[in-house]
Amino acid sequence: VTKQASDEAISSAADVSAYVTAALQVLVTSRPTAVNLADACNKLTQAAKDAAAARSATAASVVEAVVEAAEAYHQADLAINQAIGRYGAEALARATGKSSGLRVMTCCNTGSLATSGYGTALGVVRKLHSDNLLEHVFATETRPYNQGSRLTAYELVYENIPGTLICDSMAAYKMSLGEVDAIVVGADRVTANGDTANKIGTYALAVAAQFHKIPFFVAAPATSIDISMATGAEIPIEQRSSQEITHSFGNQVAADGIQVWNPAFDVTPGSLIHGIITEFGVAYKTSPEAGKEASHDLQSFLKSHTSAVKLATNTFTPLGDSDVLKSYVQTKVEVAAFLGGDPCEWSTKEVGDGNINFVYLIEGPSNSIVVKQALPYVRCVGESWPLAQDRARLEAEALMEEARLCPAHVPKVWLYDDAMKTIFMRFIEPPHIILRKGLCQGVIYPHLAEHMAEFMASTLFHTSRLAMSEIDFREAVSKRTNVAMCAITEQVIFLEPYGIAENNRHTSPELDDVVAALRQDNEAKQAISQLKHKFVENCEAFLHGDLHTGSMMCTPESSLVIDPEFAYYGPMGFDIGSFLANLFLAYFSQEGHANSDNQRTEMRDWLKVTIIDTWELFLAKFLALWNARVADGAPIAAYPDLLFSAQISNGAEALANAQKHYMKNLFKDTIAFMGCEIIRRIVGIAHVEDLESIADQSKRAACEKKALSFAREMMVNPESVQDIRATMEVAEK
């Protein structure tokens, strides 16, 4: 693909996707019996299509996405093989009753040369050997193509595993001598009842094993199980070239005119298979019913081990149980491979606040990851408060878009599962902590202003009409309307704090008079109504939607923005104002945290500088992005060249005036939204630790009164301050 993508014939993202799809379709037809090959090809095809559908996709980006998907599949397959090896070694030891000296027979090649590097059936042999349980392995040559003699024998010698190569026709006799304890083979396809298609000769081994009372096992990943097929009679069997039988080393050894039948596979009935070893464990035969042979119920087996995802129906299931969570994560092969080890080695811990979603930290031997699931209701309330689950898609899109635009300050999203409404994302490792907690502890973050200015400028500019075409912008707006979460915002920010609402609470009795006055404040009501209009109607950029100090994890050197579940297209000033408001809340809380040992002077001074720097750096970075786009000659939908190009009379001056007007209005919106965010954090439903952690209620109330007075003035009269320094002066009074 990499080579072809450099050709002129494959110069676009769509061309690469089409090339990959066609090539993989050919690959699938080469092995119609092997279901696992089709699974891999389908996943890579989807990776190519998804990459090509991304905005700003290029031929190179699609190639990179396909390569990354292939490498992830490779790592996942290795982890699956290792799990099969562990379960298989235990199963063979248990079935034979031997704790050492096992003599195992296998056929074809199911090792490192056939898989990602460990093997399925040969992986079981490898694990037995590494655990000192294996005495000897007998590998059949596997006529007519001799995969056993050409490949498996090589692996055994290379790995120093004691082994003997035998002809296929010698297998039954070897069993009769009592020199074989168990047989384990691979599989190309397994049907719902356990019937297994594998390399020709497998059926004969199973029949002989049954006669000699030797346990016969199949080792295969769960993706080789095709529950859409009830029995092996439905499996297509590939017919191979007659020359594989009539010729040897290129020389004809059979008489001309002889007819040849050369199926590549045979089907072993599930009744002859003691157990089917998968990465989830071993599926054993069920007890035979009257008049029927024992068989395998693989559909029930898969459901019992992957109950969280209900694979057969692909329906939503809450991840409220550790075992269910682990079973679900197992089905995400790239995630399981990243975690490493066996699911029994994983630990799970809920790390969210429990208000709306499930948020888990899963720690494996190799790595850790966070899994977040959106429930169809507000979790802390229950099903009486329903909540649209599409918020999970929007949050995932927001994280991925933000990471694309500002990768230094957004955690990586591994994948999003729409059926389960789950997001798999990077675990933000210690010493990162929630920014708000750090501020409450008096921690100074010297790079916070720089980092947040970069984040806000990059994400807001590039998702606006300043950087997107009109068509792309309208399409993005239509797909990113977060109705349910916006309704919550409208209720708790723009409505309830200004009236009598059950959700409201405040420091009483100290703030009773202030809150009563707010509910009678017609200017405040007018201002908040106008801000709500802007929140609902002004689709300026793709917002985080809840950008505060509780939605960030930081160290003094690093800043990462998380939890954009309120993401939607709205006014830029809402995001900027929300963040500045929470810095001001921290600023106003400092007097309440001051004591004789620490007056918090340094912290207050740092917050003052950080608030000013955040806006001024944002302003500079935002305009720099705008001017760079103009300098590159890129179109700006909001200010088209027909009116603002430097090539027309007065065009440059018109653009300069437009920028000045744009940023002036943005600052006004920012200050007003900042005011209403401060108010709702003091008299609404969701308060902040900055103030709530002040133990002395009278001190807390004094801080809150100052904050409310400042916030009310900024919300009602945002034009009274011309810049952020003037705003800070008002706060200091």
Side-chain angles (χ1 to χ4, degrees), residues 18-32 34 37-38 41-42 45 238:
Y19 176 83
V20 170
T21 300
L24 291 174
Q25 285 174 346
V26 172
L27 193 58
V28 170
T29 61
S30 71
R31 293 286 299 280
L37 176 64
C41 291
N42 289 340
T45 297
E238 176 189 349

Side-chain angles (χ1 to χ4, degrees), residues 392-640:
R393 173 187 64 82
L394 286 162
E395 180 175 359
E397 286 187 9
L399 281 168
M400 289 186 281
E401 182 78 342
E402 289 167 356
R404 182 181 70 83
L405 297 172
C406 194
H409 303 305
V410 183
K412 175 183 177 179
V413 173
W414 276 83
L415 62 88
Y416 169 64
D417 181 351
D418 191 56
M420 284 291 289
K421 309 302 179 188
T422 52
I423 304 170
F424 293 79
M425 69 186 80
R426 167 192 166 187
F427 165 56
I428 302 174
E429 65 287 342
H432 286 89
I433 60 172
I434 295 294
L435 174 59
R436 192 186 304 282
K437 292 187 178 297
L439 297 179
C440 291
Q441 295 167 12
V443 178
I444 288 176
Y445 296 90
H447 304 293
L448 181 63
E450 173 76 25
H451 292 171
M452 286 308 296
E454 178 71 25
F455 171 81
M456 292 188 295
S458 297
T459 58
L460 296 178
F461 179 84
H462 287 294
T463 60
S464 75
R465 291 174 62 237
L466 297 175
M468 298 174 67
S469 70
E470 299 285 21
I471 293 176
D472 287 344
F473 180 81
R474 289 194 187 99
E475 183 179 3
V477 171
S478 69
K479 292 180 178 179
R480 293 171 173 173
T481 303
N482 200 347
V483 176
M485 303 307 281
C486 284
I488 293 176
T489 300
E490 291 158 20
Q491 177 180 337
V492 303
I493 295 182
F494 299 105
L495 178 62
E496 289 182 345
Y498 305 90
I500 300 174
E502 183 179 352
N503 289 327
N504 291 344
R505 60 188 179 89
H506 63 269
T507 302
S508 180
E510 288 85 350
L511 294 187
D512 287 356
D513 290 345
V514 176
V515 172
L518 180 64
R519 290 170 181 164
Q520 298 297 318
D521 191 335
N522 288 333
E523 286 185 320
K525 292 180 180 181
Q526 179 65 26
I528 198 64
S529 297
Q530 291 176 346
L531 287 173
K532 182 179 178 181
H533 282 306
K534 289 185 176 182
F535 180 84
V536 174
E537 297 174 3
N538 290 12
C539 303
E540 293 177 349
F542 192 33
L543 308 187
H544 178 283
D546 195 25
L547 190 58
H548 54 77
T549 54
S551 58
M552 293 187 64
M553 296 192 72
C554 298
T555 71
E557 302 300 323
S558 169
S559 306
L560 294 168
V561 178
I562 59 173
D563 292 343
E565 60 188 333
F566 284 80
Y568 90 114
Y569 257 86
M572 296 183 191
F574 184 77
D575 258 10
I576 310 167
S578 293
F579 182 69
L580 291 178
N582 281 266
L583 291 182
F584 270 111
L585 285 165
Y587 174 82
F588 283 111
S589 75
Q590 295 307 304
E591 288 186 17
H593 290 294
N595 54 49
S596 58
D597 295 327
N598 185 357
Q599 292 297 312
R600 292 278 188 141
T601 303
E602 183 183 7
M603 188 67 181
R604 186 163 41 241
D605 289 344
W606 172 78
L607 282 165
K608 174 183 174 181
V609 172
T610 299
I611 289 169
I612 293 171
D613 285 352
T614 297
W615 170 260
E616 291 184 347
L617 287 170
F618 165 80
L619 177 64
K621 291 176 182 292
F622 192 92
L623 286 173
L625 290 171
W626 191 340
N627 290 330
R629 191 168 177 85
V630 172
D632 290 342
I636 297 177
Y639 297 93

Side-chain angles (χ1 to χ4, degrees), residues 436 492-493 496-499 503-508 510-512 514-516 518-519 581-582 584-589 674-692 694 697 699-712:
R436 192 186 304 282
V492 303
I493 295 182
E496 289 182 345
Y498 305 90
N503 289 327
N504 291 344
R505 60 188 179 89
H506 63 269
T507 302
S508 180
E510 288 85 350
L511 294 187
D512 287 356
V514 176
V515 172
L518 180 64
R519 290 170 181 164
N582 281 266
F584 270 111
L585 285 165
Y587 174 82
F588 283 111
S589 75
M674 178 190 74
C676 70
E677 168 71 4
I678 293 173
I679 291 171
R680 75 101 166 189
R681 291 293 189 179
I682 298 174
V683 304
I685 185 175
H687 291 207
V688 293
E689 185 180 353
D690 311 72
L691 294 167
E692 295 289 286
I694 300 173
Q697 184 165 308
K699 285 187 175 181
R700 181 170 72 247
C703 294
E704 290 173 336
K705 283 183 179 179
K706 288 183 179 180
L708 284 172
S709 175
F710 167 73
R712 190 266 180 197

Side-chain angles (χ1 to χ4, degrees), residues 633-648:
I636 297 177
Y639 297 93
D641 286 347
L642 184 65
L643 305 179
F644 296 93
S645 171
Q647 308 305 316
I648 65 172

Side-chain angles (χ1 to χ4, degrees), residues 73-79 81 111-119:
Y73 194 94
H74 176 270
Q75 290 300 315
D77 185 65
L78 181 61
N81 286 186
S112 297
L113 298 175
T115 64
S116 59
Y118 193 80

Side-chain angles (χ1 to χ4, degrees), residues 4 23 134 144 179 194 196 206 236 272 276 315 325 329 336 357 360 364 380 443 481 535 547 556 604 624 644 692 722:
Q4 290 291 332
L134 181 73
E179 297 179 7
T196 297
L272 298 179
I276 298 170
T315 56
L325 175 64
V329 174
N357 307 299
Y360 292 102
C380 63
V443 178
T481 303
F535 180 84
L547 190 58
R604 186 163 41 241
F644 296 93
E692 295 289 286
Q722 299 303 309

